[in-house]
Amino acid sequence: MLSRLTRLPRPTALAVCAAPVLALFAVAALAPLPFALARPGMTADVLGAQDGKQVITITGAPVRATTGQLRMTTIVATGPSVDVGLGDLVDSWFRTDRAVLPKEAVYPTGKNDEEIEKHNLEQMQDSQDAATTAALRFLRKDPRTVKVTLSLADVGGPSAGLLFSLGIVDKLDGNGSGGDLTGGTSIAGTGTIDDDGTVGAVGGVALKTQAARRDGASVFLVPRAECADARAELPAGLRLIPVTTLSGAVDSLRALQKGGPVPAC
């Protein structure tokens, strides 16, 4: 094939070579690609109410009246059944308020929309249980006498665990000295949590920082392992505080109020 092309006039040879390449681009532009598109999602103050219902309800122990906010953050991603084309991918790739992610990084493989929704809700329930256990252990409260109910409709996944735990701590103990853990300000963040209070990475933090700042937060708690991602598109006026444990997050918020040294990304 190559020897025949060398005997053609140069414009004709280039046209012949370009034809299959253009055909491939045309196919790629029309074919669905194995990616999901994500953007900043809603935030919710776990110290307050969402859709008319308190996010955290505690019985069996005195509960404080709180000021300030502890905002859990989310991202919104296209579903597994949504086809993402080349044009959508290119548009999102060059926008700071969008992210292009492999589908397998967002959803369990081999599941449809309904199965994934069920999976995410199960993860949320597990996260709420772990958040309650971690907070009560931190406060040395007996889980047999203190009952915590967490309610956040239409949100799935485990990434609100840290904020749930901090909300429970604030409602029961504040900053430990009679004041609010938030210092009366708006604190946002993300991170999974284990029963022992270990904070884990979640993904999508660059989009979550934008959601946090959009909704008025001035401080963002981020799993330490994701500091670099959080800095990538950090909105002006938002301070990052890396965390690895619930106790470390509480210590950082206490230090922030007192003007003491606070970890930074």
Side-chain angles (χ1 to χ4, degrees), residues 119-133:
H119 173 77
N120 286 341
L121 292 176
E122 289 172 350
Q123 281 193 313
M124 171 62 92
Q125 184 59 58
D126 292 343
S127 174
Q128 292 175 348
D129 294 342
T132 298
T133 299

Side-chain angles (χ1 to χ4, degrees), residues 154-251:
D154 301 324
V155 177
S159 66
L162 171 62
L163 272 293
F164 281 140
S165 285
L166 289 172
I168 296 167
V169 171
D170 200 11
K171 281 181 172 284
L172 288 174
D173 193 54
N175 63 6
S177 302
D180 292 303
L181 189 59
T182 62
T185 62
S186 181
I187 309 292
T190 191
T192 65
I193 201 158
D194 294 337
D195 289 354
D196 63 1
T198 300
V199 176
V202 292
V205 292
L207 298 177
K208 291 179 179 181
T209 58
Q210 295 179 51
R213 190 60 183 141
R214 178 199 67 205
D215 291 351
S218 57
V219 172
F220 191 89
L221 303 173
V222 60
R224 181 177 289 278
E226 296 181 291
C227 268
D229 291 340
R231 290 196 304 265
E233 302 292 346
L234 186 65
L238 189 65
R239 179 176 183 174
L240 293 178
I241 297 180
V243 295
T244 56
T245 63
L246 173 60
S247 61
V250 172
D251 288 344

Side-chain angles (χ1 to χ4, degrees), residues 38-172:
R39 57 182 171 82
M42 54 84 75
T43 72
D45 176 21
V46 302
L47 295 175
Q50 184 75 5
D51 297 328
K53 188 174 183 179
Q54 286 293 316
V55 177
I56 300 176
T57 304
I58 302 174
T59 57
V63 178
R64 304 175 59 257
T66 60
T67 63
Q69 298 179 344
L70 284 169
R71 289 198 163 271
M72 57 79 66
T73 55
T74 67
I75 64 171
V76 177
T78 52
S81 63
V82 175
D83 292 337
V84 174
L86 183 61
D88 299 320
L89 189 149
V90 172
D91 176 66
S92 296
W93 189 269
F94 292 100
R95 294 180 57 170
T96 59
D97 62 342
R98 297 290 188 271
V100 178
L101 305 169
K103 279 192 174 181
E104 62 268 21
V106 182
Y107 313 111
T109 56
K111 294 183 182 293
N112 59 33
D113 289 8
E114 292 76 17
E115 290 170 332
I116 287 172
E117 181 179 3
K118 180 181 178 182
H119 173 77
N120 286 341
L121 292 176
E122 289 172 350
Q123 281 193 313
M124 171 62 92
Q125 184 59 58
D126 292 343
S127 174
Q128 292 175 348
D129 294 342
T132 298
T133 299
L136 295 181
R137 282 181 176 176
F138 173 78
L139 295 172
R140 294 182 172 85
K141 300 285 186 182
D142 189 347
R144 295 172 297 180
T145 59
V146 180
K147 182 179 179 181
V148 179
T149 301
L150 301 173
S151 176
L152 196 58
D154 301 324
V155 177
S159 66
L162 171 62
L163 272 293
F164 281 140
S165 285
L166 289 172
I168 296 167
V169 171
D170 200 11
K171 281 181 172 284
L172 288 174

